[in-house]
Amino acid sequence: MLNLKNVLYRAFPALGVLLALLVQTVFADSSLHPTAAKHYYNFLLYILLSVSVLLFVISFFNTRIQGILTFKGPFFFGSGVLVSLLNLITAKFALLPVIFFPTFDNILAVFVEQTPLLLKCIGFSFRLLILGVLWGTLAGFITGIFLGFSKKVYYWINPYIKLIGPIPATAWIPLVLTTFPTPFGASIFIIALAVWFPVQLMTSSGIQNTSKVYFEVGRTLGAGTFFQVFRIAVPAALPNIFQGVFNGICAAFIALMTAEMFGAKYGIGWYISYQKAMMLYSGVYAGLIMIAVFCTVIITALFQVRKRLLGWQKGLIKW
């Protein structure tokens, strides 16, 4: 016997898209908005409606899809309601300033009509982010190990880190731009600096909080310093290290966007700044969407790595 409530929950994603499609079709766009070359938003809604209906049908035969739709269904329907309200406020009735709040068609048109430039900007930002995060994580990991394992290093270095570390990385941009020969190198340094502090802080904290019993047992069994650091301290501190990397990546995105607005030739931050200067806010919103997707992909990849390395934490700690 079918559970009608369960079926309704699974149908919510399709109903949310259908609501958005009805609002887009029934109400005409305000004449104050410039008309897009094509109805990109309608096309996107048709695709989403087809996918959601297909998943609804599959859910009757696949328990995994059924569980996902049952749990996420109300959220997707709420998202459809929210998008419909935004469409009414901006495109349909122009209740907000037209120049700052473009229609969904005009925003989606940016992705279609400026695809080569957007891909180039994404590639530039990705290279900057990866290099900055790698250097920042490596520096933070090494610094954290020395601070967490050596009392002498902690005594001499930690006061300076407490003084310099909390300063936002973006505050160093004017000095860094005059120090580094190229804006690209300066941007990498700013991103690395933003990542370095949380990684070293959480790495040193994780090592210092490792039970002393582990080290005593290791020394009793003849373990040397290298073994104690990389086979005892670092594995025990991995949850803290991943938390530091997670916080560092979030800070890296802020540093990336800010650094690209000063002297960079390409990149998502540069693109947003350029579109804002040209008063093309459809491009600004397209850039913000790219940042959201970009950040989601990076964070999801980090969670997958963490899941593999810290499988023993499953069911114990929720991050």
Side-chain angles (χ1 to χ4, degrees), residues 8-22:
L8 179 62
Y9 277 15
R10 283 183 276 153
F12 269 151
L15 294 175
V17 178
L18 186 60
L19 175 63
L21 185 59
L22 287 174

Side-chain angles (χ1 to χ4, degrees), residues 112-312:
V112 177
E113 298 168 4
Q114 300 185 27
T115 301
L117 177 59
L118 294 178
L119 290 177
K120 194 169 186 177
C121 289
I122 291 173
F124 189 90
S125 294
F126 182 75
R127 185 169 60 147
L128 268 181
L129 184 70
I130 292 299
L131 290 174
V133 169
L134 286 177
W135 282 112
T137 301
L138 181 62
F141 180 69
I142 294 173
T143 308
I145 287 177
F146 278 106
L147 288 172
F149 200 77
S150 174
K151 292 182 179 180
K152 290 183 179 180
V153 174
Y154 185 86
Y155 174 82
W156 287 105
I157 303 298
N158 192 57
Y160 297 105
I161 291 179
K162 285 185 177 179
L163 181 66
I164 298 174
I167 300 176
T170 52
W172 298 95
I173 286 179
L175 179 62
V176 171
L177 285 176
T178 58
T179 305
F180 281 76
T182 63
F184 185 80
S187 300
I188 291 177
F189 179 81
I190 291 297
I191 296 168
L193 185 63
V195 177
W196 163 77
F197 180 66
V199 172
Q200 71 81 22
L201 180 65
M202 296 308 299
T203 301
S204 61
S205 175
I207 293 176
Q208 289 171 349
N209 290 329
T210 302
S211 176
K212 305 301 179 184
V213 175
Y214 298 153
F215 297 110
E216 292 174 1
V217 172
R219 282 193 294 267
T220 302
L221 296 175
T225 302
F226 184 86
F227 186 95
Q228 291 183 52
V229 171
F230 291 100
R231 299 299 295 272
I232 298 176
V234 171
L238 271 180
N240 294 69
I241 294 173
F242 270 99
Q243 188 175 354
V245 174
F246 175 81
N247 294 332
I249 288 179
C250 294
F253 271 98
I254 299 174
L256 172 69
M257 295 302 112
T258 307
E260 285 183 343
M261 292 179 182
F262 294 91
K265 294 182 178 180
Y266 292 102
I268 302 176
W270 167 86
Y271 180 81
I272 292 175
S273 179
Y274 173 74
Q275 294 292 308
K276 180 183 177 183
M278 298 296 292
M279 298 297 286
L280 299 173
Y281 278 84
S282 56
V284 172
Y285 286 106
L288 294 177
I289 293 172
M290 286 192 296
I291 293 174
V293 174
F294 195 26
C295 184
T296 301
V297 171
I298 297 295
I299 296 300
T300 302
L302 178 62
F303 270 99
Q304 291 300 317
V305 174
R306 176 187 178 275
K307 183 179 178 181
R308 287 183 175 273
L309 293 180
L310 299 178
W312 56 271

Side-chain angles (χ1 to χ4, degrees), residues 1-180:
M1 183 176 178
L2 289 177
N3 187 329
L4 294 180
K5 183 179 179 181
N6 184 282
V7 174
L8 179 62
Y9 277 15
R10 283 183 276 153
F12 269 151
L15 294 175
V17 178
L18 186 60
L19 175 63
L21 185 59
L22 287 174
V23 169
Q24 174 68 5
T25 306
V26 172
F27 297 93
D29 287 350
S30 171
S31 58
L32 298 176
H33 285 282
T35 305
K38 296 181 180 179
H39 296 296
Y40 298 107
Y41 182 51
N42 295 56
F43 183 67
L44 176 62
L45 289 177
Y46 285 128
I47 293 176
L48 292 177
L49 183 61
S50 301
V51 172
S52 57
V53 170
L54 179 61
L55 290 175
F56 174 72
V57 174
I58 294 175
S59 68
F60 286 95
F61 310 98
N62 188 300
T63 55
R64 185 170 179 269
I65 299 296
Q66 182 179 132
I68 294 174
L69 290 182
T70 302
F71 179 70
K72 291 288 188 178
F75 172 79
F76 286 129
F77 181 77
S79 299
V81 174
L82 178 61
V83 169
S84 299
L85 290 175
L86 289 175
N87 197 17
L88 289 171
I89 293 172
T90 56
K92 304 306 178 182
F93 301 134
L95 299 179
L96 298 173
V98 170
I99 189 172
F100 299 118
F101 297 93
T103 64
F104 293 153
D105 276 334
N106 287 323
I107 295 174
L108 293 173
V110 174
F111 291 102
V112 177
E113 298 168 4
Q114 300 185 27
T115 301
L117 177 59
L118 294 178
L119 290 177
K120 194 169 186 177
C121 289
I122 291 173
F124 189 90
S125 294
F126 182 75
R127 185 169 60 147
L128 268 181
L129 184 70
I130 292 299
L131 290 174
V133 169
L134 286 177
W135 282 112
T137 301
L138 181 62
F141 180 69
I142 294 173
T143 308
I145 287 177
F146 278 106
L147 288 172
F149 200 77
S150 174
K151 292 182 179 180
K152 290 183 179 180
V153 174
Y154 185 86
Y155 174 82
W156 287 105
I157 303 298
N158 192 57
Y160 297 105
I161 291 179
K162 285 185 177 179
L163 181 66
I164 298 174
I167 300 176
T170 52
W172 298 95
I173 286 179
L175 179 62
V176 171
L177 285 176
T178 58
T179 305
F180 281 76

